[in-house]
PDB file of all heavy atoms in Angstrom:
ATOM      1  N   VAL A  96      -1.791  11.234 -17.214  1.00 92.00           N
ATOM      2  CA  VAL A  96      -3.220  10.973 -17.327  1.00 92.00           C
ATOM      3  C   VAL A  96      -3.488  10.225 -18.626  1.00 92.00           C
ATOM      4  O   VAL A  96      -2.987  10.598 -19.684  1.00 92.00           O
ATOM      5  CB  VAL A  96      -4.025  12.287 -17.302  1.00 92.00           C
ATOM      6  CG1 VAL A  96      -5.505  12.028 -17.544  1.00 92.00           C
ATOM      7  CG2 VAL A  96      -3.822  13.000 -15.963  1.00 92.00           C
ATOM      8  N   ASN A  97      -4.282   9.179 -18.547  1.00 90.00           N
ATOM      9  CA  ASN A  97      -4.649   8.402 -19.728  1.00 90.00           C
ATOM     10  C   ASN A  97      -5.463   9.244 -20.707  1.00 90.00           C
ATOM     11  O   ASN A  97      -6.391   9.951 -20.301  1.00 90.00           O
ATOM     12  CB  ASN A  97      -5.440   7.161 -19.303  1.00 90.00           C
ATOM     13  CG  ASN A  97      -5.956   6.361 -20.466  1.00 90.00           C
ATOM     14  OD1 ASN A  97      -7.128   6.452 -20.802  1.00 90.00           O
ATOM     15  ND2 ASN A  97      -5.095   5.593 -21.091  1.00 90.00           N
ATOM     16  N   ARG A  98      -5.133   9.177 -21.983  1.00 90.00           N
ATOM     17  CA  ARG A  98      -5.783  10.006 -23.003  1.00 90.00           C
ATOM     18  C   ARG A  98      -7.285   9.735 -23.093  1.00 90.00           C
ATOM     19  O   ARG A  98      -8.092  10.680 -23.115  1.00 90.00           O
ATOM     20  CB  ARG A  98      -5.129   9.752 -24.370  1.00 90.00           C
ATOM     21  CG  ARG A  98      -5.833  10.400 -25.563  1.00 90.00           C
ATOM     22  CD  ARG A  98      -5.678  11.899 -25.583  1.00 90.00           C
ATOM     23  NE  ARG A  98      -6.351  12.490 -26.737  1.00 90.00           N
ATOM     24  CZ  ARG A  98      -6.372  13.800 -26.986  1.00 90.00           C
ATOM     25  NH1 ARG A  98      -5.759  14.639 -26.178  1.00 90.00           N
ATOM     26  NH2 ARG A  98      -6.994  14.261 -28.063  1.00 90.00           N
ATOM     27  N   ALA A  99      -7.664   8.469 -23.146  1.00 88.00           N
ATOM     28  CA  ALA A  99      -9.085   8.139 -23.255  1.00 88.00           C
ATOM     29  C   ALA A  99      -9.849   8.624 -22.033  1.00 88.00           C
ATOM     30  O   ALA A  99     -10.991   9.107 -22.139  1.00 88.00           O
ATOM     31  CB  ALA A  99      -9.268   6.641 -23.440  1.00 88.00           C
ATOM     32  N   GLY A 100      -9.230   8.514 -20.868  1.00 88.00           N
ATOM     33  CA  GLY A 100      -9.871   8.995 -19.653  1.00 88.00           C
ATOM     34  C   GLY A 100     -10.122  10.486 -19.711  1.00 88.00           C
ATOM     35  O   GLY A 100     -11.193  10.972 -19.332  1.00 88.00           O
ATOM     36  N   PHE A 101      -9.145  11.224 -20.195  1.00 89.00           N
ATOM     37  CA  PHE A 101      -9.308  12.669 -20.325  1.00 89.00           C
ATOM     38  C   PHE A 101     -10.435  13.007 -21.287  1.00 89.00           C
ATOM     39  O   PHE A 101     -11.294  13.851 -21.001  1.00 89.00           O
ATOM     40  CB  PHE A 101      -8.006  13.321 -20.809  1.00 89.00           C
ATOM     41  CG  PHE A 101      -8.219  14.631 -21.503  1.00 89.00           C
ATOM     42  CD1 PHE A 101      -8.658  15.746 -20.800  1.00 89.00           C
ATOM     43  CD2 PHE A 101      -8.030  14.745 -22.876  1.00 89.00           C
ATOM     44  CE1 PHE A 101      -8.897  16.952 -21.456  1.00 89.00           C
ATOM     45  CE2 PHE A 101      -8.257  15.937 -23.533  1.00 89.00           C
ATOM     46  CZ  PHE A 101      -8.687  17.050 -22.823  1.00 89.00           C
ATOM     47  N   VAL A 102     -10.464  12.354 -22.455  1.00 92.00           N
ATOM     48  CA  VAL A 102     -11.461  12.680 -23.478  1.00 92.00           C
ATOM     49  C   VAL A 102     -12.880  12.439 -22.956  1.00 92.00           C
ATOM     50  O   VAL A 102     -13.768  13.292 -23.083  1.00 92.00           O
ATOM     51  CB  VAL A 102     -11.213  11.864 -24.767  1.00 92.00           C
ATOM     52  CG1 VAL A 102     -12.361  12.065 -25.757  1.00 92.00           C
ATOM     53  CG2 VAL A 102      -9.898  12.266 -25.407  1.00 92.00           C
ATOM     54  N   ILE A 103     -13.096  11.280 -22.344  1.00 93.00           N
ATOM     55  CA  ILE A 103     -14.443  10.938 -21.869  1.00 93.00           C
ATOM     56  C   ILE A 103     -14.873  11.841 -20.717  1.00 93.00           C
ATOM     57  O   ILE A 103     -15.947  12.430 -20.722  1.00 93.00           O
ATOM     58  CB  ILE A 103     -14.498   9.458 -21.442  1.00 93.00           C
ATOM     59  CG1 ILE A 103     -14.302   8.532 -22.658  1.00 93.00           C
ATOM     60  CG2 ILE A 103     -15.827   9.147 -20.742  1.00 93.00           C
ATOM     61  CD1 ILE A 103     -14.143   7.070 -22.309  1.00 93.00           C
ATOM     62  N   HIS A 104     -14.021  11.945 -19.713  1.00 94.00           N
ATOM     63  CA  HIS A 104     -14.420  12.639 -18.488  1.00 94.00           C
ATOM     64  C   HIS A 104     -14.468  14.154 -18.662  1.00 94.00           C
ATOM     65  O   HIS A 104     -15.370  14.810 -18.127  1.00 94.00           O
ATOM     66  CB  HIS A 104     -13.494  12.231 -17.343  1.00 94.00           C
ATOM     67  CG  HIS A 104     -13.685  10.813 -16.916  1.00 94.00           C
ATOM     68  ND1 HIS A 104     -14.245  10.473 -15.703  1.00 94.00           N
ATOM     69  CD2 HIS A 104     -13.430   9.639 -17.550  1.00 94.00           C
ATOM     70  CE1 HIS A 104     -14.310   9.157 -15.608  1.00 94.00           C
ATOM     71  NE2 HIS A 104     -13.816   8.631 -16.724  1.00 94.00           N
ATOM     72  N   SER A 105     -13.532  14.714 -19.407  1.00 94.00           N
ATOM     73  CA  SER A 105     -13.557  16.166 -19.608  1.00 94.00           C
ATOM     74  C   SER A 105     -14.778  16.580 -20.413  1.00 94.00           C
ATOM     75  O   SER A 105     -15.336  17.660 -20.197  1.00 94.00           O
ATOM     76  CB  SER A 105     -12.277  16.636 -20.311  1.00 94.00           C
ATOM     77  OG  SER A 105     -12.185  16.121 -21.634  1.00 94.00           O
ATOM     78  N   ALA A 106     -15.223  15.729 -21.335  1.00 94.00           N
ATOM     79  CA  ALA A 106     -16.405  16.046 -22.135  1.00 94.00           C
ATOM     80  C   ALA A 106     -17.608  16.290 -21.243  1.00 94.00           C
ATOM     81  O   ALA A 106     -18.349  17.271 -21.411  1.00 94.00           O
ATOM     82  CB  ALA A 106     -16.696  14.910 -23.115  1.00 94.00           C
ATOM     83  N   ILE A 107     -17.800  15.413 -20.275  1.00 96.00           N
ATOM     84  CA  ILE A 107     -18.984  15.506 -19.412  1.00 96.00           C
ATOM     85  C   ILE A 107     -18.826  16.622 -18.387  1.00 96.00           C
ATOM     86  O   ILE A 107     -19.761  17.404 -18.154  1.00 96.00           O
ATOM     87  CB  ILE A 107     -19.237  14.149 -18.731  1.00 96.00           C
ATOM     88  CG1 ILE A 107     -19.546  13.093 -19.814  1.00 96.00           C
ATOM     89  CG2 ILE A 107     -20.399  14.251 -17.736  1.00 96.00           C
ATOM     90  CD1 ILE A 107     -19.605  11.681 -19.299  1.00 96.00           C
ATOM     91  N   HIS A 108     -17.651  16.734 -17.783  1.00 96.00           N
ATOM     92  CA  HIS A 108     -17.445  17.792 -16.790  1.00 96.00           C
ATOM     93  C   HIS A 108     -17.596  19.179 -17.420  1.00 96.00           C
ATOM     94  O   HIS A 108     -18.153  20.093 -16.805  1.00 96.00           O
ATOM     95  CB  HIS A 108     -16.061  17.663 -16.155  1.00 96.00           C
ATOM     96  CG  HIS A 108     -15.964  16.579 -15.136  1.00 96.00           C
ATOM     97  ND1 HIS A 108     -16.745  16.543 -13.998  1.00 96.00           N
ATOM     98  CD2 HIS A 108     -15.160  15.479 -15.070  1.00 96.00           C
ATOM     99  CE1 HIS A 108     -16.438  15.479 -13.282  1.00 96.00           C
ATOM    100  NE2 HIS A 108     -15.484  14.812 -13.908  1.00 96.00           N
ATOM    101  N   LYS A 109     -17.111  19.324 -18.623  1.00 94.00           N
ATOM    102  CA  LYS A 109     -17.163  20.631 -19.286  1.00 94.00           C
ATOM    103  C   LYS A 109     -18.576  21.009 -19.700  1.00 94.00           C
ATOM    104  O   LYS A 109     -18.980  22.178 -19.601  1.00 94.00           O
ATOM    105  CB  LYS A 109     -16.248  20.621 -20.518  1.00 94.00           C
ATOM    106  CG  LYS A 109     -16.115  21.979 -21.198  1.00 94.00           C
ATOM    107  CD  LYS A 109     -15.097  21.918 -22.320  1.00 94.00           C
ATOM    108  CE  LYS A 109     -14.901  23.284 -22.985  1.00 94.00           C
ATOM    109  NZ  LYS A 109     -13.877  23.228 -24.059  1.00 94.00           N
ATOM    110  N   ALA A 110     -19.339  20.027 -20.158  1.00 95.00           N
ATOM    111  CA  ALA A 110     -20.676  20.309 -20.686  1.00 95.00           C
ATOM    112  C   ALA A 110     -21.758  20.334 -19.616  1.00 95.00           C
ATOM    113  O   ALA A 110     -22.773  21.022 -19.783  1.00 95.00           O
ATOM    114  CB  ALA A 110     -21.039  19.270 -21.748  1.00 95.00           C
ATOM    115  N   LYS A 111     -21.547  19.605 -18.529  1.00 93.00           N
ATOM    116  CA  LYS A 111     -22.604  19.458 -17.522  1.00 93.00           C
ATOM    117  C   LYS A 111     -22.065  19.856 -16.142  1.00 93.00           C
ATOM    118  O   LYS A 111     -21.583  19.019 -15.384  1.00 93.00           O
ATOM    119  CB  LYS A 111     -23.120  18.021 -17.507  1.00 93.00           C
ATOM    120  CG  LYS A 111     -23.830  17.622 -18.799  1.00 93.00           C
ATOM    121  CD  LYS A 111     -24.292  16.184 -18.742  1.00 93.00           C
ATOM    122  CE  LYS A 111     -25.182  15.847 -19.922  1.00 93.00           C
ATOM    123  NZ  LYS A 111     -26.502  16.490 -19.867  1.00 93.00           N
ATOM    124  N   HIS A 112     -22.180  21.124 -15.827  1.00 91.00           N
ATOM    125  CA  HIS A 112     -21.606  21.637 -14.586  1.00 91.00           C
ATOM    126  C   HIS A 112     -22.342  21.151 -13.348  1.00 91.00           C
ATOM    127  O   HIS A 112     -21.820  21.257 -12.236  1.00 91.00           O
ATOM    128  CB  HIS A 112     -21.571  23.165 -14.624  1.00 91.00           C
ATOM    129  CG  HIS A 112     -20.557  23.715 -15.574  1.00 91.00           C
ATOM    130  ND1 HIS A 112     -19.284  24.065 -15.189  1.00 91.00           N
ATOM    131  CD2 HIS A 112     -20.611  23.938 -16.915  1.00 91.00           C
ATOM    132  CE1 HIS A 112     -18.604  24.503 -16.228  1.00 91.00           C
ATOM    133  NE2 HIS A 112     -19.379  24.425 -17.296  1.00 91.00           N
ATOM    134  N   GLU A 113     -23.552  20.650 -13.518  1.00 92.00           N
ATOM    135  CA  GLU A 113     -24.280  20.129 -12.361  1.00 92.00           C
ATOM    136  C   GLU A 113     -23.751  18.764 -11.932  1.00 92.00           C
ATOM    137  O   GLU A 113     -24.002  18.313 -10.810  1.00 92.00           O
ATOM    138  CB  GLU A 113     -25.776  20.024 -12.677  1.00 92.00           C
ATOM    139  CG  GLU A 113     -26.183  18.922 -13.644  1.00 92.00           C
ATOM    140  CD  GLU A 113     -25.968  19.270 -15.118  1.00 92.00           C
ATOM    141  OE1 GLU A 113     -25.329  20.311 -15.406  1.00 92.00           O
ATOM    142  OE2 GLU A 113     -26.423  18.500 -15.980  1.00 92.00           O
ATOM    143  N   ILE A 114     -23.011  18.104 -12.808  1.00 95.00           N
ATOM    144  CA  ILE A 114     -22.453  16.785 -12.503  1.00 95.00           C
ATOM    145  C   ILE A 114     -21.106  16.942 -11.822  1.00 95.00           C
ATOM    146  O   ILE A 114     -20.217  17.615 -12.333  1.00 95.00           O
ATOM    147  CB  ILE A 114     -22.314  15.945 -13.791  1.00 95.00           C
ATOM    148  CG1 ILE A 114     -23.697  15.544 -14.303  1.00 95.00           C
ATOM    149  CG2 ILE A 114     -21.460  14.703 -13.542  1.00 95.00           C
ATOM    150  CD1 ILE A 114     -23.679  14.846 -15.633  1.00 95.00           C
ATOM    151  N   ALA A 115     -20.951  16.314 -10.665  1.00 96.00           N
ATOM    152  CA  ALA A 115     -19.695  16.392  -9.920  1.00 96.00           C
ATOM    153  C   ALA A 115     -18.785  15.212 -10.229  1.00 96.00           C
ATOM    154  O   ALA A 115     -17.569  15.361 -10.288  1.00 96.00           O
ATOM    155  CB  ALA A 115     -19.966  16.458  -8.421  1.00 96.00           C
ATOM    156  N   CYS A 116     -19.363  14.030 -10.422  1.00 98.00           N
ATOM    157  CA  CYS A 116     -18.560  12.802 -10.516  1.00 98.00           C
ATOM    158  C   CYS A 116     -18.944  11.983 -11.737  1.00 98.00           C
ATOM    159  O   CYS A 116     -20.127  11.867 -12.085  1.00 98.00           O
ATOM    160  CB  CYS A 116     -18.751  11.977  -9.244  1.00 98.00           C
ATOM    161  SG  CYS A 116     -17.700  10.518  -9.118  1.00 98.00           S
TER     162      CYS A 116
END
Side-chain angles (χ1 to χ4, degrees):
V96 175
N97 175 258
R98 172 71 180 180
F101 156 68
V102 172
I103 294 172
H104 291 250
S105 65
I107 297 171
H108 283 300
K109 186 175 182 178
K111 294 179 171 290
H112 289 266
E113 72 280 9
I114 290 174
C116 186

